Every structure is written in structure tokens, then in C-alpha cells.
């Protein structure tokens, strides 16, 4: 018998779970809009050449591509080795590349500094596993047209506020700058051709530790003098002093001589976020909920400056991230436009929220006898709806308990029974 399951890495959502997801999305949308961001929508597909322009990093390899219309079997065989000859479109693998195209297309209708919300599914040909899907929802906010630290600070403040509103207080943002990474690698003597591999290895620091990073770099055949200098920095003795986010923390985490403009940009972000989140409980140990991490890499090839990752003490993986991608829009527009974005990992956040954090609105199951006239039923239903309830009609069954248990699992909170000629309803809780 043929499988009736959804494709691997993709999921069906039953009504209660779908409603729960929509309630979480409503909180995210409301918080983003409160911070001055406006929602847009882009097509699920973009041109093949745009999705494979070398700016999407490894995600380009995971893109689902769409065959050109009208190809016959012979044409497909003839072009089998040249994918670009077979496809002209692809499903989006993130929301940033479509946003850059959207901005280039619609710039004349947008403000000088544009703050966007995109909440939509994306598709990647991943190897399915727990927490990793082939279709999943991304929740992005982006700011285009602002090159100052204010843009990063707005994104960070909005993201932390949204996490708080979802009941996940205590979130922190790790922050770095790709320019600082490039400067650091250059100062140690890594040549340009080695940088991609070096960054891949540095990204494993949390898993393999400093010595593991040094050993892997040496095994790669990376410039020995650079590996030695970098290893000495990684393994240097350090005092266990605590420094709040600011210039002192940043300079202490980097080799001596870090560029002043990069440090000033990072410091400015922290000062602005601190001013935006003065309320008690919005900071960690009284300080802004940012921490500088000189070894934060993030894999997207389009990042040009600040990069971030969102974390929460309840889990050991990130809940989102983003960064500055000032060079991307220029690819489409022919004119550089500063841009920076932050994406919340919606699927991971939904899994963290328990049922008490997103209780449903009042909902009633109206259990009726078979012979109750339709007009009476609908009149009772309309009265409940007018009172703010969500109402489902269910014909009484022999096993009323099973019927009510099923309704409760679907998110209904109350029930009432209706017989012929009933003039009023006794609404009771489902508990």
C-alpha cells in the first residue's frame, strides 16, 4: 500500500497544534509591529540565477529547483549535466535573498529607512532529523538604508522584547563583526585562500575546544606560523574577570590593536540596546543582554559586518540569528544599500513553549440531540459567538466522555448540551 504520510522533513498540523502555532505567530507579529516594522510578502519562488548567485552560502546547495516548462525526456537527458539549462526557478531557501530582490524592485515606494517583517515558509533539501525540517517557518525583521549601530540595536531590542512577550525572559544575544574576524585572521597571518576553511574550523570551537581547533587547522595544512600565533592567542592564560558588554570586554577578547571603528560600532550597539531595555528583568546581572564573542562565525556568505546569535538559558542551541549584509542589495540594484536582519527560529521556539503560555480563547462544544431543528441550533450558536466564544456543533454520541475529551484535545474549553425546545444554555468547563 502506498504511503499516506507527508514527504520526509515536512509535516501536517492538526487543528490544536495549528491554532497554537498561529497564537505564537500573532505575538511575534504584534511585537515586531510595535517596534515599527511593516509586514511584506514575497513569492515562494525566485529565479534560479538569483538563488544561485553565490551569496547564499551552503544553502544554495540545498535549494529545491523547478524544471522549465515544456521539457521532454530527451531534453532532460541532454542537459542532465547542466542544471541551469533545466531549471529557471527555485523555491526560496531563506527570506533574505527574496527581500533584497523585493527592495530593489520596490525601492521607489519605500521610505529611506525601511523596516520589514517577513514571516513565511522556506524550503531546504536537508537530511531530516529532530528539529531540522525540509519546510519550516522563518520570522525575519530587517532594516534597509541605515548603516549606523542604531539599526542593529533596533533589531536586538525588538527580538529580546519578543522573546519576553512569549514567556522566554532571560534571552541573550552573542554578537561579533565579520570585519573583526577578518582583521584577526589577517593579524595572525592566515592567507585569503585559507580563510573559508579556517572559519569552518573556528566555528567548532564550542565542540572541540581551543586545542582541537589548533589541531584541526594544523591537519588542514594551514600556514604553520599563523596556526602557531592563533593557538598562542586561544590558549593564553586569562584571568576570570567579569566585564559587562562594552569597550573593555570587546578589546580584552580581541588581539591588541583592534580597529577603533569596528570597536566603536559594537560599543554603540550595546549602548543603544541598554537604553532601550531599562526595565527590571530585561537585563542580565544589571547589564545589557549582549555578550561579545570574537569567534562567532555564522555560515551565510553574504554577511559583511555585525553578526548575532540568540540564545536562552533553557537550551544549549541558538534560537535565531542574523547579521549585516550591506553588499547584497547592490547585486540587484547596482547601488549599495546598507542592510541588516535578524531571524527568530520559529520551530525551535514553538517547541519550547508549554501550553500554559499560550492558552486558547474561550471555545464551546455545543452537543445537540439528533432531532434539534437546525434553526434552533444555529440560533444558539450565533448567541454564543456574539458573546465572544468559538463554537463547534457536535451531535450527541453514546460515549459523551470520549467526545468531550476529543474536543478538549482540540483546544475547546467548555461545553453545553441542547435538546429540542431549549431556551437557554448551561455552559460548563471541560475539566
Amino acid at each position: 500500500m502506498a504511503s499516506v504520510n507527508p514527504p520526509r522533513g515536512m509535516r501536517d498540523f492538526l487543528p490544536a497544534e495549528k491554532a497554537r502555532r498561529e497564537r505564537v505567530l500573532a505575538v511575534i507579529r504584534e511585537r515586531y509591529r510595535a517596534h515599527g516594522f511593516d509586514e511584506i510578502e514575497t513569492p515562494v519562488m525566485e529565479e534560479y540565477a538569483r538563488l544561485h548567485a553565490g551569496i547564499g552560502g551552503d544553502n544554495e546547495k540545498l535549494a529545491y529547483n523547478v524544471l522549465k516548462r515544456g521539457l521532454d525526456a530527451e531534453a532532460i537527458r541532454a542537459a542532465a549535466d547542466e542544471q541551469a539549462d533545466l531549471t529557471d526557478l527555485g523555491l526560496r531557501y531563506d527570506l533574505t535573498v527574496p527581500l533584497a530582490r523585493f527592495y530593489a524592485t520596490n525601492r521607489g515606494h519605500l521610505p529611506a529607512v525601511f523596516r520589514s517583517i517577513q514571516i513565511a515558509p522556506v524550503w531546504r533539501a536537508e537530511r531530516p532529523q529532530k528539529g531540522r525540517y525540509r519546510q519550516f517557518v522563518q520570522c525575519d525583521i530587517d532594516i534597509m538604508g541605515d548603516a549606523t549601530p542604531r539599526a542593529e540595536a533596533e533589531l536586538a531590542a525588538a527580538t529580546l522584547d519578543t522573546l519576553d512577550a512569549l514567556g522566554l525572559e532571560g534571552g541573550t544575544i552573542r554578537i561579533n563583526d565579520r570585519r573583526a574576524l577578518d582583521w584577526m585572521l589577517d593579524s595572525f597571518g592566515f592567507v585569503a585562500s585559507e580563510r573559508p576553511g579556517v572559519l569552518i574550523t573556528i566555528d567548532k570551537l564550542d565542540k572541540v575546544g581551543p586545542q582541537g581547533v589548533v589541531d584541526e587547522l594544523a591537519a588542514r595544512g594551514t600556514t604553520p606560523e599563523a596556526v602557531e600565533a592563533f593557538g598562542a592567542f586561544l590558549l593564553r592564560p586569562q584571568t576570570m574577570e567579569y566585564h559587562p558588554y562594552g569597550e573593555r570586554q570587546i578589546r580584552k577578547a580581541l588581539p591588541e590593536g583592534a580597529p577603533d571603528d569596528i570597536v566603536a560600532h559594537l560599543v554603540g550597539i550595546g549602548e543603544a540596546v541598554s537604553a532601550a531595555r531599562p526595565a527590571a528583568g530585561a537585563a542580565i546581572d544589571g547589564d545589557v543582554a549582549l555578550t561579545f564573542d570574537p569567534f562567532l562565525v555564522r555560515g551565510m556568505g553574504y554577511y559583511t559586518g555585525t553578526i548575532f546569535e540568540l540564545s536562552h538559558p533553557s537550551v544549549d542551541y541558538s534560537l535565531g540569528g542574523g547579521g549585516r549584509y550591506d553588499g547584497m542589495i547592490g547585486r540587484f540594484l547596482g547601488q549599495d544599500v546598507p542592510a541588516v536582519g535578524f531571524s527568530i527560529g520559529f520551530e525551535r521556539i514553538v517547541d519550547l513553549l508549554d501550553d500554559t503560555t499560550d492558552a486558547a480563547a474561550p471555545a464551546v462544544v455545543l452537543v445537540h440531540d439528533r432531532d434539534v431543528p437546525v434553526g434552533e441550533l444555529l440560533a444558539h450558536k450565533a448567541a454564543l459567538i456574539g458573546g465572544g466564544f468559538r463554537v463547534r456543533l457536535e451531535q450527541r454520541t453514546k460515549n459523551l466522555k470520549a467526545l468531550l475529551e476529543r474536543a478538549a484535545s482540540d483546544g475547546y474549553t467548555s461545553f453545553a448540551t441542547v435538546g429540542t425546545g431549549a431556551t437557554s444554555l448551561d455552559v460548563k468547563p471541560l475539566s
Side-chain angles (χ1 to χ4, degrees):
M1 180 177 176
S3 170
V4 293
N5 294 322
R8 290 187 66 232
M10 300 179 182
R11 297 166 291 167
D12 294 326
F13 295 107
L14 293 170
E17 180 62 15
K18 176 62 176 174
R20 185 168 179 268
R21 289 168 66 86
E22 290 300 321
R23 290 194 294 272
V24 175
L25 286 173
V27 173
I28 294 171
R29 280 190 168 94
E30 186 275 328
R31 286 292 83 202
Y32 283 172
R33 288 185 60 81
H35 283 263
F37 292 82
D38 294 305
E39 190 162 6
I40 65 168
E41 184 174 326
T42 58
V44 302
M45 292 191 289
E46 294 283 346
E47 291 182 2
Y48 175 90
R50 186 171 297 125
L51 293 172
H52 295 269
I55 54 180
D58 288 342
N59 288 335
E60 293 189 5
K61 302 174 186 176
L62 302 175
Y64 283 104
N65 301 313
V66 180
L67 287 175
K68 294 177 180 177
R69 293 185 63 187
L71 291 176
D72 56 26
E74 184 177 343
I76 292 173
R77 283 194 298 270
D81 295 330
E82 295 295 334
Q83 195 172 49
D85 292 338
L86 291 171
T87 63
D88 55 358
L89 298 170
L91 289 171
R92 61 191 178 207
Y93 49 73
D94 73 2
L95 297 176
T96 307
V97 174
L99 174 63
R101 194 274 310 151
F102 170 93
Y103 184 86
T105 302
N106 299 287
R107 187 183 186 188
H109 304 286
L110 302 173
V113 176
F114 179 53
R115 296 167 176 84
S116 75
I117 303 169
Q118 280 193 101
I119 298 178
V122 299
W123 293 265
R124 295 179 191 171
E126 299 270 15
R127 180 175 298 169
Q129 53 186 289
K130 182 177 173 58
R132 191 179 294 272
Y133 307 105
R134 289 176 170 173
Q135 177 179 322
F136 55 96
V137 172
Q138 285 191 333
C139 301
D140 287 15
I141 45 175
D142 293 78
I143 298 178
M144 285 139 284
D146 189 346
T148 72
R150 179 182 63 191
E152 283 94 332
E154 281 196 73
L155 293 173
T159 298
L160 292 168
D161 183 33
T162 300
L163 218 61
D164 292 347
L166 290 168
L168 295 172
E169 296 90 348
T172 58
I173 295 175
R174 295 161 61 208
I175 189 168
N176 195 13
D177 195 303
R178 276 292 180 90
R179 297 170 300 168
L181 263 176
D182 287 341
W183 168 82
M184 183 168 61
L185 296 184
D186 186 62
S187 70
F188 289 131
F190 292 105
V191 299
S193 60
E194 296 173 333
R195 302 280 175 83
V198 171
L199 289 175
I200 290 172
T201 300
I202 290 175
D203 203 27
K204 301 176 183 178
L205 183 60
D206 290 345
K207 296 180 180 178
V208 303
Q211 189 60 57
V213 167
V214 172
D215 293 343
E216 183 170 322
L217 289 174
R220 281 179 174 273
T222 312
T223 303
E225 295 80 9
V227 175
E228 182 179 356
F230 185 45
F233 177 73
L234 280 179
L235 299 167
R236 71 195 187 284
Q238 297 185 66
T239 56
M240 298 301 292
E241 301 174 65
Y242 170 72
H243 300 294
Y245 184 90
E247 183 172 1
R248 183 173 175 82
Q249 184 194 68
I250 294 166
R251 290 197 182 276
K252 190 171 179 61
L254 291 169
E256 290 187 15
D260 291 339
D261 61 330
I262 298 175
V263 173
H265 188 88
L266 290 166
V267 170
I269 295 169
E271 291 174 347
V273 173
S274 182
R277 292 175 59 78
I284 303 297
D285 296 332
D287 300 308
V288 63
L290 299 180
T291 183
F292 178 67
D293 182 353
F295 305 113
L296 177 63
V297 174
R298 292 197 60 80
M300 299 306 291
Y302 48 63
Y303 291 136
T304 59
T306 319
I307 47 178
F308 346 77
E309 278 197 357
L310 176 65
S311 61
H312 191 268
S314 63
V315 291
D316 60 1
Y317 48 80
S318 72
L319 295 180
R324 184 167 281 280
Y325 52 98
D326 288 348
M328 185 187 293
I329 294 174
R331 297 270 196 111
F332 306 134
L333 194 62
Q335 175 185 349
D336 282 342
V337 175
V340 60
F342 208 125
S343 178
I344 281 181
F346 175 72
E347 310 295 348
R348 289 182 170 182
I349 284 176
V350 166
D351 289 342
L352 282 183
L353 299 175
D354 58 41
D355 291 336
T356 61
T357 61
D358 65 341
V364 177
V365 177
L366 204 53
V367 181
H368 61 91
D369 294 337
R370 177 181 296 182
D371 56 355
V372 176
V374 173
E376 287 185 25
L377 272 180
L378 295 187
H380 287 302
K381 181 178 181 180
L384 288 169
I385 292 172
F389 288 95
R390 176 171 175 249
V391 186
R392 175 197 284 179
L393 295 177
E394 290 280 4
Q395 184 173 306
R396 185 190 293 271
T397 61
K398 290 182 179 180
N399 190 344
L400 180 61
K401 181 180 178 182
L403 185 153
L404 296 180
E405 286 176 349
R406 173 61 182 270
S409 71
D410 288 342
Y412 286 80
T413 56
S414 307
F415 78 102
T417 57
V418 182
T420 303
T423 58
S424 63
L425 296 177
D426 182 14
V427 179
K428 301 175 182 178
L430 271 173
S431 60

